[in-house]
Amino acid sequence: MKKAVILAAVAALALLAVGYVVLLPMIKGKSAEAVEEDEPVASAKKPRRPTAPGLIYPVPERVVNLAGPPGVPHYARIELALEFAPPKGSKKAGAENAGGHGGSGKEPALDPALVPVMARKAQIDDMLLRVISARSVEQMTSADGKEALKQEILAALEEIVPEPTPVAVYIVRLVVQ
């Protein structure tokens, strides 16, 4: 008798689950397949990054002493690229503004929209020195540490340069010793 009651309860629960997955979407006007297709899209509610790169401001390579116990010097040689959202109404950033080196041996001309960033070069350099030198070797070499470094730089950059809007920080080269 008890087995029959338990079996009936399990069967009822299974029917409710099937009814929820199959019948409820049909009542709302969607098939079960459409609901399954919608689920990945609904769960990926992250803000979309633009597909085209933004304005890239290259930060030249620099050597920075890292935090650590006294008498044990460690340093990082790091090169960064800072990405900014293009101002509304401006043309998209082209390959010539991607921060790469041109064939002539000269640095490429930066987009005029990056003038506010260039005007804050001293503040950006100071912030980078403070943020990077506060890191330990372990923080600079772990994946989580690198991501935390990029997020801290991005947050500090937003305070220094409100326009154009900072979007991302990229570590172009990194050597830690």
Side-chain angles (χ1 to χ4, degrees):
M1 179 73 174
K2 285 187 176 184
K3 286 185 179 181
V5 172
I6 293 174
L7 187 58
V10 169
L13 189 58
L15 282 174
L16 283 173
V18 169
Y20 181 79
V21 171
V22 175
L23 296 177
L24 187 61
M26 289 178 162
I27 292 171
K28 290 185 174 181
K30 291 184 178 182
S31 69
E33 293 83 22
V35 170
E36 288 175 5
E37 291 172 5
D38 286 348
E39 286 178 357
V41 174
S43 66
K45 290 286 184 183
K46 294 180 181 177
R48 278 193 50 163
R49 300 236 3 215
T51 55
L55 304 170
I56 301 295
Y57 180 78
V59 178
E61 183 178 270
R62 62 195 62 227
V63 177
V64 179
N65 290 322
L66 297 176
V72 184
H74 292 286
Y75 70 90
R77 193 170 72 203
I78 188 167
E79 182 179 346
L80 301 169
L82 310 175
E83 182 179 3
F84 295 87
K88 291 188 187 327
S90 72
K91 66 179 185 169
K92 298 282 184 198
E96 68 276 1
N97 295 327
H101 295 286
S104 65
K106 294 182 179 179
E107 291 292 323
L110 292 174
D111 191 292
L114 289 173
V115 169
V117 178
M118 290 181 275
R120 301 288 184 154
K121 183 182 179 323
Q123 290 91 341
I124 293 170
D125 288 346
D126 177 67
M127 175 270 298
L128 291 172
L129 180 66
R130 282 184 287 110
V131 170
I132 296 168
S133 66
R135 297 280 193 259
S136 68
V137 171
E138 293 78 21
Q139 291 171 321
M140 292 295 289
T141 56
S142 73
D144 290 340
K146 289 176 196 165
E147 189 58 36
L149 173 68
K150 290 165 44 172
Q151 293 304 317
E152 186 175 345
I153 290 172
L154 184 61
L157 196 57
E158 289 171 345
E159 292 179 16
I160 296 170
V161 184
E163 289 295 325
T165 305
V167 176
V169 174
Y170 302 103
I171 299 174
V172 179
R173 286 187 189 90
L174 175 63
V175 176
V176 178
Q177 186 169 337

